[in-house]
Amino acid sequence: MRNPAKVRVAVLFGGRSAEHEISLLSARFVVEALDRDRFEPVLVGIDKSGRWLLQEEALLLSGARDPRLARLNEAMPEIALDAHPGPSGEATLAVPGGARSPIDVVFPVLHGPTGEDGCVQGLLELAGVPYVGSGVLGSAVGMDKDVMKRLLREAEIPIVPHVALRRAAWERDRGACLEQIAGLSPAGRGGFGPIFVKPANLGSSVGVRRVTARSELEAAVEHAFEFDLKIVCEQGIEGVREIECSVLGDDDPIASVPGEIVVGHADGFYSYAAKYIDGATIRIPADLSPAEANAVQLLALRTFRALEASGMARVDLFLAPDRSLYVNEINTIPGFTAISMYPKLWEASGIPPRTLIERLIALALERGARKSRLRTSA
């Protein structure tokens, strides 16, 4: 029985991407942080075949914190979101037995393609339900590293040199493609690399390889193409520091204190294993001068606005040895695991997890209310 005094929050997680398991850990964090005096969660897990399954809170909260062990309960009943608002404008989930269960807001904790790239956001727009995070456009450009970098360059936001490559071009003339990518290796080094080869539409460092020899390049490209039809190859910076900054808000966003990722992993960069399995050292706040910290925050806010983000995002930057700053990428649904930088940065900035989740939901409801007042007739 629904309690009308509580906001009913559908937490949407899992998904059809290589970041499926990380999404489960993020959902656990969000559900744990919900104030049960104000919110009533409805857990919806999407399996890797795309089925929407009602999930049990007890199982999610008791699950393993190791992404290699995280699993949905695929024996649970299927549910579906009605593709249009109800008679009173409400959004509803179709539950087993044919009944309709109303929801007030959706909190997508989906990482990667079909969840973070505007696909689910488009469905939620059709359903007329408010949702946390960026809209269709901001989600789409935030996911595609190639389009993202084009928009950042247009906004005169500093980025590292890069090359975008499609699968068809690779299959047509891989020799020419390898020459183009190899041109990213800094001149005058007396060696090769580093060059980072990435799927264009994926996060959590899935499919990413750090190349330091010409002989490694072809295998790295093939590996990235296993995850996407388009890849991005970026010039690496020796001695670079990885700085991250969280952003919160819509029309007047705010930036957190910056943090730093210090990687001592054998992979040589902030890889999937370094993030979620073997760990990396996190420094919050980052060891920056006041001027550098301010510059990071300003760049994060400029990036957030240039890419049409809203609600939340984590902006990742590089600090070069010469103190130059470059934007690496934006994450419009950043990790919400117990070790993730987005909530940790806000906690260090004075916004604890429970308050952070409340503010994100409030932003979603406010944006939904504003959109509901727009005219639909000329």
Side-chain angles (χ1 to χ4, degrees), residues 33-303:
L34 279 173
D35 182 352
R36 299 313 170 87
D37 291 332
R38 299 184 56 194
F39 303 106
E40 178 186 345
V42 179
L43 275 55
V44 182
I46 303 176
D47 72 10
K48 290 194 175 183
S49 66
R51 295 183 304 154
W52 289 36
L53 305 171
L54 194 62
Q55 295 291 293
E56 295 174 324
E57 184 176 333
L59 180 64
L60 179 70
L61 299 185
S62 65
R65 293 187 184 272
D66 186 331
R68 295 168 296 184
L69 304 175
R71 298 287 185 275
L72 286 178
N73 182 355
E74 299 195 15
M76 292 296 288
E78 289 191 43
I79 60 174
L81 177 68
D82 286 342
H84 56 82
S88 302
E90 73 277 8
T92 53
L93 289 168
V95 298
R100 291 290 187 274
S101 176
I103 54 174
D104 298 306
V105 63
V106 173
F107 200 126
V109 203
L110 296 158
H111 306 311
T114 74
E116 193 177 354
D117 59 0
C119 291
V120 161
Q121 289 74 16
L123 174 62
L124 300 177
E125 292 283 354
L126 290 173
V129 59
Y131 56 93
V132 171
S134 294
V136 175
L137 178 60
S139 299
V141 299
M143 173 55 62
D144 190 310
K145 294 178 178 63
D146 171 33
V147 175
M148 177 199 307
K149 290 177 186 296
R150 289 189 235 167
L151 290 174
L152 292 175
R153 186 168 52 212
E154 174 70 20
E156 299 183 342
I157 292 172
I159 57 175
V160 298
H162 71 284
V163 167
L165 183 63
R166 295 183 182 274
R167 179 89 207 187
W170 174 249
E171 292 176 345
R172 185 167 54 248
D173 190 346
R174 67 177 55 198
C177 292
L178 288 170
E179 285 300 316
Q180 185 183 20
I181 300 168
L184 293 170
S185 184
R189 282 176 35 83
F192 184 89
I195 294 173
F196 288 87
V197 181
K198 310 176 178 181
N201 293 276
L202 210 56
S204 293
S205 298
V206 174
V208 178
R209 287 192 179 172
R210 179 177 184 266
V211 177
T212 57
R214 177 66 182 261
S215 59
E216 302 169 352
L217 190 55
E218 185 170 2
V221 171
E222 286 285 1
H223 180 66
F225 273 131
E226 292 176 8
F227 296 93
D228 201 353
L229 298 176
K230 181 169 64 170
I231 67 171
V232 171
C233 306
E234 300 170 348
Q235 184 182 96
I237 303 172
E238 290 285 12
V240 74
R241 293 169 60 188
E242 300 206 28
I243 309 296
E244 299 188 351
C245 188
S246 295
V247 181
L248 173 67
D250 277 334
D251 296 332
D252 191 22
I254 58 174
S256 72
V257 298
E260 181 174 1
I261 304 292
V262 182
V263 180
H265 194 272
D267 289 342
F269 69 103
Y270 198 29
S271 64
Y272 184 93
K275 287 180 180 179
Y276 303 112
I277 300 171
D278 298 331
T281 302
I282 295 174
R283 291 178 183 164
I284 303 176
D287 183 14
L288 302 171
S289 71
E292 288 171 335
N294 184 61
V296 166
Q297 291 172 317
L298 291 176
L299 266 182
L301 292 171
R302 285 178 61 196
T303 298

